[in-house]
Coordinates of all heavy atoms in Angstrom, one line a residue:
M1 N 0.8 -1.2 0.0 CA 0.0 0.0 0.0 C 0.9 1.2 0.0 O 1.9 1.3 0.7 CB -0.9 0.0 1.3 CG -1.8 1.1 1.3 SD -3.0 0.9 2.7 CE -3.4 2.6 3.0
P2 N 0.6 2.2 -0.8 CA 1.4 3.5 -0.9 C 1.4 4.2 0.4 O 0.4 4.2 1.2 CB 0.7 4.3 -2.0 CG -0.1 3.3 -2.8 CD -0.5 2.2 -1.8
N3 N 2.5 4.8 0.7 CA 2.6 5.6 2.0 C 1.8 6.9 1.8 O 2.0 7.7 0.9 CB 4.1 5.9 2.2 CG 4.4 6.5 3.5 OD1 3.6 7.4 4.0 ND2 5.5 6.1 4.2
A4 N 1.0 7.2 2.8 CA 0.1 8.4 2.8 C 0.9 9.7 2.9 O 0.5 10.8 2.5 CB -0.9 8.4 3.9
K5 N 2.1 9.7 3.4 CA 3.0 10.9 3.6 C 3.7 11.2 2.3 O 4.3 12.3 2.1 CB 4.0 10.7 4.6 CG 3.5 10.7 6.1 CD 4.7 10.6 7.0 CE 4.3 10.6 8.5 NZ 5.5 10.6 9.3
L6 N 3.6 10.3 1.3 CA 4.3 10.5 0.0 C 3.2 11.0 -1.0 O 2.1 10.5 -1.1 CB 4.9 9.2 -0.5 CG 6.0 8.6 0.3 CD1 6.5 7.3 -0.3 CD2 7.2 9.6 0.5
E7 N 3.6 12.0 -1.8 CA 2.8 12.5 -2.8 C 2.4 11.4 -3.8 O 3.2 10.5 -4.0 CB 3.6 13.6 -3.5 CG 3.0 14.0 -4.9 CD 4.0 14.8 -5.7 OE1 5.2 14.5 -5.6 OE2 3.6 15.7 -6.4
N8 N 1.2 11.4 -4.4 CA 0.8 10.3 -5.3 C 1.7 10.2 -6.5 O 2.0 9.0 -6.8 CB -0.6 10.6 -5.8 CG -1.7 10.4 -4.8 OD1 -1.5 9.7 -3.8 ND2 -2.8 11.1 -4.9
L9 N 2.2 11.3 -7.0 CA 3.1 11.2 -8.2 C 4.5 10.5 -7.7 O 5.1 9.8 -8.5 CB 3.4 12.6 -8.7 CG 4.2 12.7 -10.0 CD1 3.5 11.8 -11.1 CD2 4.4 14.1 -10.5
L10 N 4.9 10.8 -6.5 CA 6.1 10.2 -6.0 C 5.9 8.7 -5.8 O 6.8 7.9 -6.2 CB 6.6 10.8 -4.7 CG 7.8 10.2 -4.1 CD1 9.0 10.2 -5.0 CD2 8.2 11.0 -2.8
N11 N 4.8 8.3 -5.3 CA 4.4 6.9 -5.1 C 4.5 6.2 -6.5 O 5.0 5.1 -6.7 CB 3.1 6.7 -4.5 CG 3.1 6.7 -3.0 OD1 4.0 6.1 -2.4 ND2 2.2 7.4 -2.4
L12 N 3.9 6.8 -7.5 CA 3.9 6.3 -8.9 C 5.3 6.2 -9.4 O 5.7 5.1 -10.0 CB 3.0 7.2 -9.8 CG 2.9 6.7 -11.2 CD1 2.2 5.4 -11.3 CD2 2.1 7.8 -12.0
A13 N 6.1 7.2 -9.2 CA 7.5 7.2 -9.7 C 8.3 6.1 -9.1 O 9.1 5.5 -9.7 CB 8.1 8.5 -9.5
L14 N 8.1 5.9 -7.8 CA 8.8 4.8 -7.1 C 8.5 3.4 -7.5 O 9.3 2.5 -7.5 CB 8.6 4.9 -5.6 CG 9.2 6.2 -4.9 CD1 8.8 6.3 -3.4 CD2 10.7 6.1 -5.0
S15 N 7.2 3.3 -8.0 CA 6.8 1.9 -8.5 C 7.2 1.7 -10.0 O 7.1 0.6 -10.5 CB 5.3 1.7 -8.3 OG 4.6 2.6 -9.1
A16 N 7.6 2.8 -10.7 CA 8.0 2.7 -12.1 C 9.4 2.1 -12.3 O 10.2 2.2 -11.4 CB 8.0 4.1 -12.7
T17 N 9.6 1.5 -13.4 CA 10.9 0.9 -13.7 C 11.9 2.1 -14.1 O 11.4 3.2 -14.4 CB 10.8 -0.1 -14.9 OG1 10.4 0.6 -16.1 CG2 9.9 -1.2 -14.6
T18 N 13.2 1.8 -14.2 CA 14.1 2.8 -14.6 C 13.9 3.2 -16.0 O 13.9 4.4 -16.3 CB 15.6 2.2 -14.4 OG1 15.8 1.8 -13.1 CG2 16.6 3.2 -14.8
A19 N 13.5 2.3 -16.9 CA 13.2 2.6 -18.3 C 12.0 3.5 -18.4 O 12.0 4.5 -19.2 CB 13.0 1.3 -19.1
E20 N 11.0 3.3 -17.6 CA 9.8 4.1 -17.6 C 10.1 5.5 -17.1 O 9.6 6.5 -17.6 CB 8.7 3.5 -16.7 CG 8.1 2.3 -17.3 CD 7.2 1.5 -16.3 OE1 7.4 1.6 -15.1 OE2 6.3 0.8 -16.8
K21 N 11.0 5.6 -16.1 CA 11.4 6.9 -15.5 C 12.2 7.7 -16.6 O 12.1 8.9 -16.7 CB 12.2 6.8 -14.3 CG 11.4 6.4 -13.1 CD 12.4 6.3 -11.9 CE 12.0 5.0 -11.1 NZ 12.9 4.6 -10.1
E22 N 13.0 7.0 -17.3 CA 13.9 7.6 -18.4 C 13.0 8.2 -19.5 O 13.3 9.2 -20.1 CB 14.9 6.7 -18.9 CG 16.0 6.4 -17.9 CD 17.0 5.4 -18.3 OE1 16.8 4.7 -19.4 OE2 18.0 5.1 -17.6
K23 N 11.9 7.4 -19.9 CA 11.0 7.8 -21.0 C 10.1 9.0 -20.6 O 9.7 9.8 -21.4 CB 10.2 6.7 -21.4 CG 10.9 5.6 -22.1 CD 10.0 4.5 -22.5 CE 10.7 3.4 -23.2 NZ 9.8 2.3 -23.6
S24 N 9.8 9.1 -19.3 CA 8.9 10.1 -18.8 C 9.6 11.3 -18.3 O 10.4 11.2 -17.4 CB 8.0 9.6 -17.8 OG 7.2 10.6 -17.1
Q25 N 9.3 12.5 -18.8 CA 9.9 13.7 -18.2 C 9.4 14.0 -16.8 O 10.0 14.6 -16.0 CB 9.6 14.9 -19.1 CG 10.3 14.9 -20.4 CD 10.1 16.1 -21.3 OE1 9.2 16.9 -21.0 NE2 10.9 16.3 -22.3
I26 N 8.2 13.5 -16.5 CA 7.5 13.8 -15.2 C 8.0 12.8 -14.1 O 8.5 13.3 -13.1 CB 6.0 13.8 -15.3 CG1 5.5 14.9 -16.3 CG2 5.4 13.9 -14.0 CD1 4.1 14.8 -16.6
L27 N 8.0 11.5 -14.4 CA 8.4 10.5 -13.4 C 9.8 10.6 -13.0 O 10.2 10.3 -11.9 CB 8.0 9.1 -13.9 CG 6.5 8.8 -14.1 CD1 6.4 7.4 -14.6 CD2 5.8 9.0 -12.7
G28 N 10.7 10.9 -14.0 CA 12.2 10.9 -13.7 C 12.7 12.2 -13.0 O 13.9 12.2 -12.6
T29 N 11.9 13.2 -12.9 CA 12.4 14.5 -12.4 C 12.8 14.2 -10.9 O 12.0 13.7 -10.1 CB 11.3 15.6 -12.5 OG1 11.0 15.7 -13.8 CG2 11.8 16.9 -11.9
G30 N 14.0 14.6 -10.5 CA 14.5 14.4 -9.2 C 15.3 13.2 -8.9 O 15.8 13.0 -7.9
F31 N 15.3 12.2 -9.9 CA 15.9 11.0 -9.7 C 17.3 11.0 -10.4 O 17.4 11.4 -11.5 CB 15.1 9.8 -10.3 CG 15.7 8.5 -10.2 CD1 15.8 7.9 -9.0 CD2 16.1 7.8 -11.3 CE1 16.4 6.6 -8.8 CE2 16.6 6.5 -11.2 CZ 16.8 5.9 -10.0
T32 N 18.3 10.5 -9.7 CA 19.7 10.3 -10.3 C 19.9 8.8 -10.4 O 20.2 8.2 -9.4 CB 20.7 11.0 -9.4 OG1 20.3 12.4 -9.2 CG2 22.1 11.0 -10.0
P33 N 19.9 8.3 -11.7 CA 20.1 6.9 -11.8 C 21.4 6.3 -11.4 O 21.5 5.2 -10.9 CB 19.9 6.7 -13.4 CG 19.2 7.9 -13.8 CD 19.6 9.0 -12.9
A34 N 22.5 7.1 -11.6 CA 23.8 6.6 -11.3 C 24.0 6.3 -9.8 O 24.6 5.3 -9.4 CB 24.9 7.7 -11.7
T35 N 23.3 7.1 -8.9 CA 23.5 6.9 -7.5 C 22.2 6.3 -6.9 O 22.1 6.0 -5.7 CB 23.8 8.2 -6.7 OG1 22.8 9.2 -7.0 CG2 25.1 8.7 -7.2
K36 N 21.1 6.2 -7.7 CA 19.8 5.7 -7.2 C 19.3 6.5 -6.1 O 18.8 6.0 -5.0 CB 19.8 4.2 -6.9 CG 20.1 3.4 -8.1 CD 19.5 2.0 -7.9 CE 19.8 1.1 -9.1 NZ 18.9 1.3 -10.2
T37 N 19.4 7.9 -6.2 CA 18.9 8.8 -5.2 C 17.8 9.7 -5.7 O 17.8 9.9 -6.9 CB 20.1 9.7 -4.6 OG1 20.6 10.4 -5.7 CG2 21.1 8.8 -3.9
W38 N 17.0 10.1 -4.8 CA 16.0 11.1 -5.2 C 16.2 12.4 -4.4 O 16.5 12.4 -3.2 CB 14.6 10.5 -4.8 CG 14.0 9.5 -5.7 CD1 14.3 8.2 -5.6 CD2 13.2 9.7 -6.8 NE1 13.6 7.5 -6.6 CE2 12.9 8.5 -7.3 CE3 12.7 10.8 -7.4 CZ2 12.1 8.3 -8.5 CZ3 11.9 10.7 -8.5 CH2 11.6 9.4 -9.0
E39 N 16.0 13.5 -5.1 CA 16.0 14.8 -4.5 C 14.5 15.1 -4.2 O 13.7 15.1 -5.1 CB 16.6 15.8 -5.4 CG 16.8 17.2 -4.7 CD 17.6 18.1 -5.6 OE1 17.0 18.7 -6.5 OE2 18.8 18.2 -5.5
L40 N 14.2 15.3 -2.9 CA 12.8 15.4 -2.5 C 12.5 16.7 -1.7 O 13.4 17.2 -1.0 CB 12.4 14.2 -1.6 CG 12.7 12.8 -2.2 CD1 12.5 11.8 -1.1 CD2 11.7 12.6 -3.3
I41 N 11.3 17.2 -1.8 CA 10.9 18.4 -1.1 C 10.1 17.8 0.2 O 9.2 17.0 0.0 CB 10.0 19.3 -1.9 CG1 10.7 19.7 -3.2 CG2 9.5 20.4 -1.1 CD1 9.8 20.3 -4.2
V42 N 10.6 18.3 1.3 CA 10.0 17.7 2.6 C 9.4 18.8 3.5 O 10.1 19.8 3.7 CB 11.2 17.0 3.4 CG1 10.6 16.4 4.7 CG2 11.8 15.9 2.5
K43 N 8.2 18.5 4.0 CA 7.6 19.4 5.0 C 7.9 18.6 6.3 O 7.6 17.4 6.4 CB 6.1 19.5 4.7 CG 5.3 20.2 5.8 CD 5.5 21.7 5.8 CE 4.6 22.4 6.8 NZ 5.3 23.2 7.7
Y44 N 8.4 19.3 7.3 CA 8.8 18.6 8.5 C 8.6 19.5 9.7 O 8.3 20.7 9.6 CB 10.3 18.2 8.4 CG 11.3 19.4 8.6 CD1 11.8 19.7 9.8 CD2 11.6 20.2 7.5 CE1 12.7 20.7 10.0 CE2 12.5 21.2 7.6 CZ 13.0 21.5 8.9 OH 13.9 22.6 9.0
H45 N 8.8 19.0 10.9 CA 8.8 19.7 12.2 C 10.0 19.1 13.0 O 10.4 17.9 12.8 CB 7.5 19.6 12.9 CG 7.1 18.3 13.3 ND1 6.4 17.4 12.5 CD2 7.3 17.6 14.5 CE1 6.2 16.2 13.1 NE2 6.8 16.3 14.3
G46 N 10.5 19.8 13.9 CA 11.5 19.3 14.8 C 12.9 19.5 14.2 O 13.2 20.4 13.4
Q47 N 13.8 18.5 14.5 CA 15.2 18.6 14.1 C 15.5 17.6 13.0 O 16.0 16.5 13.2 CB 16.1 18.3 15.3 CG 15.9 19.3 16.5 CD 16.3 20.7 16.1 OE1 17.3 20.9 15.4 NE2 15.5 21.7 16.5
L48 N 15.2 18.0 11.8 CA 15.4 17.1 10.6 C 16.9 16.9 10.3 O 17.3 15.8 9.9 CB 14.7 17.6 9.4 CG 14.5 16.6 8.2 CD1 13.6 15.5 8.6 CD2 14.0 17.4 7.0
E49 N 17.7 17.9 10.6 CA 19.2 17.7 10.3 C 19.9 16.6 11.1 O 20.9 16.2 10.7 CB 19.9 19.1 10.5 CG 19.9 19.6 12.0 CD 18.7 20.5 12.3 OE1 17.7 20.5 11.6 OE2 18.8 21.2 13.3
R50 N 19.3 16.1 12.2 CA 19.9 15.0 12.9 C 19.9 13.7 12.1 O 20.6 12.8 12.4 CB 19.1 14.8 14.2 CG 17.8 14.2 14.1 CD 17.1 13.9 15.5 NE 15.9 13.2 15.3 CZ 15.7 11.9 15.0 NH1 16.7 11.1 14.9 NH2 14.4 11.4 14.9
L51 N 19.1 13.7 11.0 CA 19.0 12.5 10.1 C 20.1 12.4 9.1 O 20.2 11.5 8.4 CB 17.7 12.5 9.4 CG 16.4 12.5 10.4 CD1 15.2 12.7 9.5 CD2 16.4 11.3 11.3
E52 N 20.9 13.5 9.0 CA 22.0 13.5 8.0 C 22.9 12.3 8.2 O 23.3 11.9 9.3 CB 22.9 14.8 8.3 CG 23.9 15.0 7.3 CD 23.5 15.7 6.0 OE1 22.5 16.5 6.1 OE2 24.1 15.5 5.0
S53 N 23.2 11.6 7.1 CA 24.0 10.4 7.1 C 24.5 10.1 5.7 O 24.4 10.9 4.8 CB 23.1 9.2 7.6 OG 22.1 8.9 6.6
E54 N 25.1 8.9 5.5 CA 25.6 8.5 4.2 C 24.5 8.3 3.2 O 24.7 8.5 2.0 CB 26.4 7.2 4.3 CG 27.7 7.3 5.1 CD 28.4 6.0 5.2 OE1 28.1 5.1 4.5 OE2 29.3 5.9 6.1
V55 N 23.3 8.0 3.6 CA 22.2 7.7 2.7 C 21.2 8.9 2.6 O 20.3 8.9 1.8 CB 21.5 6.4 3.0 CG1 22.4 5.2 2.8 CG2 20.9 6.4 4.4
I56 N 21.3 9.9 3.5 CA 20.4 11.0 3.5 C 21.1 12.3 3.7 O 21.9 12.4 4.6 CB 19.4 10.9 4.7 CG1 18.5 9.6 4.6 CG2 18.5 12.1 4.8 CD1 17.7 9.3 5.8
H57 N 20.9 13.2 2.8 CA 21.6 14.5 2.9 C 20.4 15.5 3.0 O 19.5 15.5 2.2 CB 22.4 14.8 1.6 CG 22.9 16.2 1.6 ND1 23.9 16.7 2.5 CD2 22.5 17.3 0.9 CE1 24.1 18.0 2.2 NE2 23.2 18.4 1.3
I58 N 20.5 16.4 4.0 CA 19.4 17.4 4.3 C 19.9 18.8 4.0 O 21.0 19.2 4.5 CB 19.0 17.3 5.8 CG1 18.6 15.9 6.1 CG2 17.9 18.3 6.1 CD1 17.3 15.4 5.5
E59 N 19.2 19.6 3.3 CA 19.4 21.0 3.0 C 18.2 21.7 3.6 O 17.1 21.7 3.0 CB 19.6 21.3 1.6 CG 20.0 22.7 1.3 CD 20.3 22.9 -0.2 OE1 20.6 21.9 -0.9 OE2 20.1 24.0 -0.7
L60 N 18.4 22.4 4.7 CA 17.2 23.0 5.4 C 16.9 24.3 4.6 O 17.8 25.1 4.2 CB 17.6 23.4 6.8 CG 17.8 22.2 7.7 CD1 18.2 22.7 9.1 CD2 16.6 21.3 7.8
L61 N 15.6 24.6 4.4 CA 15.1 25.8 3.8 C 14.5 26.6 4.9 O 15.1 26.7 6.0 CB 14.1 25.5 2.7 CG 14.7 24.6 1.6 CD1 13.6 24.2 0.6 CD2 15.8 25.3 0.9
S62 N 13.3 27.2 4.8 CA 12.7 27.9 5.8 C 11.3 27.5 6.0 O 10.7 26.7 5.2 CB 12.7 29.4 5.5 OG 12.0 29.7 4.3
N63 N 10.7 27.9 7.1 CA 9.3 27.6 7.5 C 9.0 26.1 7.5 O 7.9 25.7 7.0 CB 8.4 28.3 6.5 CG 8.5 29.8 6.7 OD1 8.7 30.3 7.8 ND2 8.4 30.5 5.6
G64 N 9.9 25.3 7.9 CA 9.6 23.8 8.1 C 9.7 23.0 6.8 O 9.1 22.0 6.7
Y65 N 10.5 23.5 5.8 CA 10.7 22.8 4.6 C 12.2 22.5 4.4 O 13.0 23.2 4.9 CB 10.2 23.6 3.3 CG 8.7 23.6 3.2 CD1 8.0 24.7 3.8 CD2 8.1 22.7 2.5 CE1 6.6 24.7 3.7 CE2 6.7 22.7 2.4 CZ 6.0 23.7 3.0 OH 4.6 23.7 2.9
A66 N 12.5 21.5 3.7 CA 13.9 21.1 3.4 C 13.9 20.3 2.1 O 12.9 19.9 1.6 CB 14.4 20.2 4.5
I67 N 15.1 20.3 1.5 CA 15.4 19.4 0.4 C 16.2 18.3 0.9 O 17.2 18.5 1.5 CB 16.1 20.2 -0.7 CG1 15.2 21.3 -1.2 CG2 16.5 19.2 -1.8 CD1 15.9 22.2 -2.2
A68 N 15.7 17.1 0.7 CA 16.4 15.9 1.1 C 16.8 15.0 -0.1 O 16.0 14.8 -1.0 CB 15.5 15.0 2.1
T69 N 18.1 14.6 -0.1 CA 18.5 13.7 -1.1 C 18.6 12.4 -0.4 O 19.4 12.2 0.5 CB 19.9 14.1 -1.7 OG1 19.8 15.5 -2.2 CG2 20.4 13.2 -2.8
V70 N 17.8 11.4 -0.9 CA 17.7 10.1 -0.2 C 17.8 9.0 -1.1 O 17.3 9.0 -2.3 CB 16.2 10.0 0.5 CG1 16.1 8.8 1.3 CG2 16.0 11.3 1.3
R71 N 18.6 8.0 -0.7 CA 18.7 6.8 -1.5 C 17.3 6.1 -1.7 O 16.5 6.1 -0.8 CB 19.6 5.8 -0.9 CG 20.9 5.5 -1.7 CD 21.8 4.5 -1.2 NE 21.3 3.4 -0.5 CZ 22.0 2.7 0.4 NH1 23.2 3.0 0.7 NH2 21.4 1.7 1.0
E72 N 17.0 5.7 -2.9 CA 15.7 5.1 -3.2 C 15.2 4.1 -2.2 O 14.0 4.1 -1.8 CB 15.7 4.6 -4.6 CG 14.3 4.2 -5.1 CD 14.3 3.9 -6.6 OE1 15.2 3.2 -7.1 OE2 13.4 4.4 -7.3
D73 N 16.1 3.2 -1.8 CA 15.7 2.1 -0.9 C 15.4 2.6 0.6 O 15.0 1.9 1.4 CB 16.7 1.0 -0.9 CG 18.1 1.4 -0.6 OD1 18.4 2.6 -0.8 OD2 18.9 0.5 -0.2
F74 N 15.7 3.9 0.9 CA 15.5 4.4 2.2 C 14.3 5.4 2.3 O 14.0 5.9 3.3 CB 16.7 5.2 2.7 CG 17.8 4.2 3.3 CD1 18.7 3.6 2.4 CD2 17.8 3.9 4.6 CE1 19.6 2.7 2.9 CE2 18.8 3.1 5.1 CZ 19.7 2.5 4.3
I75 N 13.6 5.7 1.1 CA 12.6 6.7 1.1 C 11.4 6.3 2.0 O 10.9 7.1 2.8 CB 12.1 6.9 -0.3 CG1 13.2 7.6 -1.1 CG2 10.8 7.8 -0.3 CD1 12.9 7.9 -2.6
E76 N 11.0 5.1 2.0 CA 9.9 4.6 2.8 C 10.2 4.8 4.3 O 9.4 5.3 5.1 CB 9.6 3.1 2.5 CG 8.3 2.6 3.2 CD 7.1 3.1 2.5 OE1 7.1 3.4 1.4 OE2 6.0 3.2 3.3
A77 N 11.4 4.4 4.8 CA 11.8 4.6 6.2 C 11.9 6.0 6.5 O 11.5 6.5 7.6 CB 13.1 3.9 6.4
F78 N 12.4 6.9 5.6 CA 12.5 8.3 5.8 C 11.2 8.9 6.0 O 10.9 9.7 6.9 CB 13.3 8.9 4.6 CG 13.4 10.4 4.7 CD1 14.3 11.0 5.6 CD2 12.6 11.2 3.9 CE1 14.4 12.4 5.6 CE2 12.7 12.6 3.9 CZ 13.6 13.2 4.8
A79 N 10.2 8.6 5.2 CA 8.9 9.1 5.2 C 8.1 8.7 6.5 O 7.3 9.5 7.0 CB 8.0 8.7 4.0
N80 N 8.5 7.6 7.1 CA 7.8 7.1 8.3 C 8.3 7.7 9.6 O 7.8 7.5 10.6 CB 7.9 5.6 8.4 CG 7.0 4.9 7.4 OD1 5.9 5.4 7.1 ND2 7.4 3.8 6.9
L81 N 9.4 8.6 9.5 CA 9.9 9.2 10.7 C 8.9 10.2 11.2 O 8.2 10.9 10.4 CB 11.2 9.9 10.3 CG 12.4 9.0 9.9 CD1 13.5 9.8 9.4 CD2 12.8 8.2 11.1
D82 N 8.8 10.4 12.5 CA 7.9 11.3 13.1 C 8.1 12.8 12.6 O 7.1 13.5 12.5 CB 8.0 11.3 14.6 CG 7.5 10.0 15.2 OD1 6.7 9.3 14.6 OD2 8.0 9.6 16.3
E83 N 9.3 13.2 12.4 CA 9.6 14.6 12.0 C 9.0 14.9 10.6 O 8.7 16.1 10.3 CB 11.1 14.9 12.0 CG 11.7 14.9 13.3 CD 12.2 13.5 13.8 OE1 11.9 12.5 13.1 OE2 12.9 13.4 14.8
V84 N 8.9 13.9 9.8 CA 8.5 14.1 8.4 C 7.0 14.1 8.3 O 6.3 13.2 8.7 CB 9.1 13.0 7.5 CG1 8.6 13.1 6.1 CG2 10.6 13.0 7.5
E85 N 6.5 15.2 7.8 CA 5.0 15.4 7.6 C 4.5 15.0 6.2 O 3.5 14.4 6.1 CB 4.6 16.8 7.9 CG 4.9 17.2 9.4 CD 4.5 18.7 9.6 OE1 3.8 19.3 8.9 OE2 5.1 19.2 10.6
Y86 N 5.3 15.4 5.2 CA 4.9 15.2 3.8 C 6.1 15.2 2.9 O 7.0 16.0 3.2 CB 3.9 16.3 3.4 CG 3.3 16.0 2.0 CD1 2.3 15.0 1.8 CD2 3.6 16.8 0.9 CE1 1.7 14.8 0.6 CE2 3.0 16.6 -0.3 CZ 2.1 15.6 -0.5 OH 1.5 15.4 -1.7
V87 N 6.1 14.4 1.9 CA 7.3 14.3 0.9 C 6.7 14.4 -0.5 O 5.8 13.7 -0.8 CB 8.1 13.0 1.1 CG1 9.2 13.0 0.2 CG2 8.5 12.9 2.6
E88 N 7.3 15.2 -1.3 CA 6.9 15.2 -2.7 C 8.2 15.4 -3.6 O 9.3 15.8 -3.1 CB 6.0 16.4 -3.0 CG 6.5 17.8 -2.9 CD 5.5 18.8 -3.2 OE1 4.3 18.7 -2.7 OE2 5.8 19.7 -3.9
K89 N 8.0 15.0 -4.8 CA 9.2 15.1 -5.8 C 9.1 16.5 -6.4 O 8.1 17.1 -6.5 CB 9.1 14.0 -6.8 CG 7.9 13.9 -7.7 CD 7.8 12.7 -8.5 CE 8.8 12.6 -9.7 NZ 9.1 13.7 -10.4
P90 N 10.3 16.9 -6.9 CA 10.3 18.2 -7.6 C 9.6 18.1 -8.9 O 9.4 17.0 -9.5 CB 11.8 18.5 -7.8 CG 12.5 17.2 -7.7 CD 11.6 16.3 -6.8
K91 N 9.1 19.3 -9.4 CA 8.4 19.3 -10.7 C 9.2 20.1 -11.7 O 10.0 21.0 -11.3 CB 7.1 20.0 -10.6 CG 6.2 19.6 -9.4 CD 5.8 18.1 -9.5 CE 4.8 17.7 -8.4 NZ 5.4 17.5 -7.1
R92 N 9.1 19.8 -13.0 CA 9.7 20.6 -14.0 C 8.9 21.8 -14.2 O 7.7 21.8 -14.2 CB 9.8 19.8 -15.3 CG 10.8 18.7 -15.4 CD 10.9 18.1 -16.8 NE 11.9 17.1 -16.8 CZ 13.1 17.3 -17.2 NH1 13.5 18.5 -17.7 NH2 13.9 16.3 -17.2
L93 N 9.5 23.0 -14.4 CA 8.8 24.2 -14.7 C 9.0 24.5 -16.2 O 10.1 24.4 -16.7 CB 9.4 25.3 -13.8 CG 9.3 25.2 -12.3 CD1 10.0 26.3 -11.6 CD2 7.9 25.1 -11.9
Y94 N 7.9 25.0 -16.7 CA 7.9 25.3 -18.2 C 7.5 26.8 -18.3 O 6.6 27.3 -17.6 CB 6.9 24.5 -18.9 CG 7.2 23.0 -18.9 CD1 6.6 22.2 -17.9 CD2 8.1 22.4 -19.7 CE1 6.9 20.8 -17.9 CE2 8.4 21.1 -19.7 CZ 7.8 20.3 -18.8 OH 8.1 19.0 -18.7
F95 N 8.2 27.5 -19.2 CA 8.0 28.9 -19.4 C 7.1 29.0 -20.7 O 7.3 28.3 -21.7 CB 9.3 29.7 -19.6 CG 10.1 29.7 -18.3 CD1 11.2 28.8 -18.2 CD2 9.7 30.5 -17.3 CE1 11.9 28.8 -17.0 CE2 10.5 30.5 -16.1 CZ 11.6 29.7 -16.0
E96 N 6.2 29.9 -20.7 CA 5.4 30.2 -21.9 C 5.8 31.4 -22.5 O 6.2 32.4 -22.0 CB 3.9 30.3 -21.5 CG 3.4 28.9 -21.0 CD 1.9 29.0 -20.8 OE1 1.2 29.8 -21.5 OE2 1.4 28.2 -20.0

């Protein structure tokens, strides 16, 4: 069952194959295939920086937001932490 703290599009991207992510401009955004890591936007409370490790890199922003670079196999555990309120993947911006 998909994690409720993860955005629906992120849940879909995590279940996609590498080939599907490479073909889709939407699903692959934020994913680095060489290191199998995701750059994620996180809404949190408390001390998120204490989670900094070899598999999680935290860049604190303001107002309870951060950018976390997380190995794909640790995303579920990361999202289940009490400090983490919501996780979403970055989006591509298009100019008109």
Side-chain angles (χ1 to χ4, degrees):
M1 182 170 153
N3 188 320
K5 287 186 181 181
L6 299 179
E7 165 195 37
N8 288 337
L9 187 58
L10 178 56
N11 274 316
L12 180 62
L14 290 172
S15 65
T17 65
T18 302
E20 291 169 332
K21 286 181 227 168
E22 288 173 356
K23 288 181 185 177
S24 170
Q25 290 184 346
I26 296 171
L27 292 179
T29 302
F31 180 66
T32 305
T35 57
K36 294 205 180 281
T37 58
W38 283 89
E39 190 171 83
L40 304 169
I41 301 165
V42 181
K43 171 80 174 125
Y44 74 96
H45 64 273
Q47 301 296 319
L48 195 64
E49 62 269 20
R50 73 174 181 81
L51 304 173
E52 185 84 27
S53 68
E54 291 179 16
V55 294
I56 299 172
H57 173 71
I58 306 293
E59 184 177 333
L60 298 178
L61 301 174
S62 61
N63 297 322
Y65 285 92
I67 296 172
T69 304
V70 183
R71 245 182 35 202
E72 189 170 45
D73 54 338
F74 279 85
I75 292 176
E76 188 74 28
F78 176 75
N80 286 328
L81 296 169
D82 290 335
E83 292 90 350
V84 175
E85 295 175 24
Y86 187 72
V87 181
E88 66 181 46
K89 62 189 287 323
K91 312 295 186 284
R92 286 186 180 262
L93 299 177
Y94 298 96
F95 295 100
E96 290 188 28

